[in-house]
Amino acid sequence: MTQQAVRWTADQVLALAPDVASRRAGSELGAAAPWSEAGSSDEGTVWGLCRGSGSKPYRTVIDIADSTAPAYQCSCPSRKFPCKHALGLLLLWAGPDGTVPRGQAPDWAERWIEGRRDRAQEQRTAGGAYGAASSGDPEAARRRAERRAERITAGASELEQRLTDLLRGGLASAEQTGYGLWEETAARMVDAQAPGLAARVRELGALPSSGPGWPVRFLEECALLHLLDQGWLRRERLPDGLAATVRSRVGISGSADGPPVRDRWLVLAQYDTADARLTTRRIWLHGAESGRTVLLLSYGAAGRAPELALPVGLAFEAEVSAYPGAGQLRAALGDRFTPPAPTATRPPGLTTSQATARYGEALRADPWLDSCPVTLDRVVPTPDGDSWQLADYDGDLALPLTPSARSRPDLWRLVALSGGAPVTVFGECGHRGFTPLTAWAQEGTGDAVPLC
């Protein structure tokens, strides 16, 4: 079966957009009017010329041969990935059959496709050679790990002293000292090669004077940071799984050494978060046979989305391997055997009370967990004063939505999808509430609707 045999829906294409503005602009370019010489091939290439503000049209080409990780190239100056022209071309291709006819790719598209696939082959070859070389001196690797562990221990000890001084002086002193001291402390954690500690210190430093109730939130974060420090300093006494979780939280990245799990994976959700240095993409998958929910993380430089993008609501057969750590759901995507295709598979749903119990169980394995993935079954979005909640259709309990979810325009898509009837909603459940990411109408009656 070729990629052309599987058509994506508009929602599945727009799930690839790096932000709301790109989604809107891409939708406007999803019609035939601005495009010329558009075409597609059985080998998984889509191309076209899009009329812009200049005298020359933008050349856009998309490689969907590996449809679980499409790649894009456009002559426009946008730094977004994919740009609005790539989204528009995919929307045009996903429309009625024949809108983008099959044919022979033009020379400029062929050159890019061939070059990209040649580079991918070179990277695979070089990666294998590097892996063989790096594994040749385990003693040197052990010494590097020991030196880093010593630096992290020194940093954690310094941070413990900083927290002790803070609590002796009282929380009011945190408001008086300002953010500069915390940024300096975070920089010391970076020097100690503990980026996880540095990130938590920066979050802690932003809490004073952050609104009503900040002392309570500040004390909670101090306690979690202290717990992480002590976990590192006493890591030799911890069970293997919890020790691996502590290493991950401190910032030591392990390798996905779990046994590969082959399954048909449903793409539950995809969304990006960004700071001044990095864009992080989170993709949630659910295994139809294994019942496992796993998280794929990928990264892009500031201002650019990561390359890995998967259409929400489709399923594909692949292998994934888990990263170490108790309660950790992160996995690495391995070999892929089929392209994404529509599916009637839905993750099993829970009630709101079962969802909160699931989060509590997850905290026992990872006390620093902000939220865990949960699918709510037969819930209805309902207003709750100035807020919103997801209420059990067949019960009298509800989960509040997180502040970030309440402020997003996609909340109204969820309300419109429900129309007062029960829906299935996948999202993240934590101590701040529930964040909806994807929803389905009554089972088997519609496609997945991304909410992020």
Side-chain angles (χ1 to χ4, degrees), residues 354-364 369-372 429-431:
Q354 290 171 332
T356 55
R358 175 73 58 84
Y359 177 54
E361 293 169 0
L363 282 177
R364 289 191 298 180
L369 190 65
D370 287 330
S371 61
C372 69
C429 180
H431 63 281

Side-chain angles (χ1 to χ4, degrees), residues 72-102:
Y72 321 87
Q73 200 276 338
C74 185
S75 60
C76 76
S78 174
R79 292 176 56 85
K80 295 181 179 180
F81 191 85
C83 68
K84 63 181 181 180
H85 306 101
L87 291 170
L89 182 57
L90 273 178
L91 286 171
L92 189 68
W93 167 80
D97 197 14
T99 305
V100 177
R102 300 190 191 189

Side-chain angles (χ1 to χ4, degrees), residues 17-331:
D19 52 39
V20 174
S22 297
R23 188 179 302 177
R24 185 181 304 112
S27 297
E28 294 174 356
L29 293 175
W35 293 95
S36 62
E37 300 182 28
S40 60
S41 72
D42 290 340
E43 290 72 33
T45 306
V46 183
W47 63 86
L49 303 178
C50 187
R51 185 175 65 250
S53 56
S55 59
K56 295 182 178 180
Y58 295 124
R59 293 177 170 181
T60 306
V61 56
I62 305 169
D63 183 3
I64 51 176
D66 180 0
S67 52
T68 62
Y72 321 87
Q73 200 276 338
C74 185
S75 60
C76 76
S78 174
R79 292 176 56 85
K80 295 181 179 180
F81 191 85
C83 68
K84 63 181 181 180
H85 306 101
L87 291 170
L89 182 57
L90 273 178
L91 286 171
L92 189 68
W93 167 80
D97 197 14
T99 305
V100 177
R102 300 190 191 189
Q104 178 65 41
D107 291 343
W108 56 269
E110 281 287 356
R111 285 194 299 271
W112 179 77
I113 287 289
E114 291 175 0
R116 178 181 181 276
R117 294 175 183 173
D118 288 345
R119 288 191 298 272
Q121 181 59 43
E122 290 173 0
Q123 289 173 358
R124 285 192 291 270
T125 303
Y130 174 78
S134 61
S135 62
D137 193 354
E139 180 61 24
R142 184 188 64 80
R143 290 195 298 269
R144 286 194 298 270
E146 286 181 351
R147 288 194 296 269
R148 182 179 183 185
E150 290 172 358
R151 285 191 286 268
I152 294 175
T153 296
S157 300
E158 180 182 344
L159 184 54
E160 280 293 279
Q161 187 60 52
R162 172 77 179 90
L163 293 174
T164 300
D165 294 343
L166 171 69
L167 294 179
R168 282 176 178 167
L171 295 186
S173 63
E175 193 172 20
Q176 297 168 0
T177 55
Y179 185 75
L181 182 59
W182 293 107
E183 181 58 37
E184 178 185 342
T185 304
R188 298 290 293 272
M189 297 304 104
V190 172
D191 292 341
Q193 293 185 285
L197 290 178
R200 297 195 78 94
V201 167
R202 290 192 176 98
E203 292 174 3
L204 184 65
L207 287 177
S209 304
S210 60
W214 76 260
V216 174
R217 298 193 298 273
F218 187 84
L219 189 58
E220 290 173 348
E221 289 302 318
C222 283
L224 287 172
L225 190 52
H226 168 68
L227 184 64
L228 184 55
D229 277 343
Q230 291 299 315
W232 172 262
L233 296 174
R234 292 170 169 80
R235 62 192 181 281
E236 302 298 338
R237 308 179 196 175
L238 299 178
D240 291 344
L242 184 56
T245 297
V246 168
R247 287 194 292 270
S248 173
R249 290 294 182 182
V250 165
I252 298 178
S253 57
S255 57
D257 54 5
V261 177
R262 182 166 177 169
D263 206 337
R264 186 160 184 80
W265 298 97
L266 169 66
V267 185
L268 290 173
Q270 172 183 290
Y271 67 96
D272 295 349
T273 56
D275 57 29
R277 292 162 293 185
L278 196 67
T279 298
T280 302
R281 173 163 292 169
R282 290 170 170 82
I283 301 176
W284 287 106
L285 304 179
H286 171 74
E289 296 182 7
S290 64
R292 294 177 57 177
T293 300
V294 299
L295 174 65
L296 307 181
L297 291 180
S298 56
Y299 303 94
R304 296 189 66 87
E307 287 198 22
L308 180 62
L310 302 176
V312 174
L314 299 190
F316 62 100
E317 189 172 344
E319 290 182 342
V320 302
S321 298
Y323 282 82
Q328 302 301 294
L329 299 178
R330 186 184 175 190

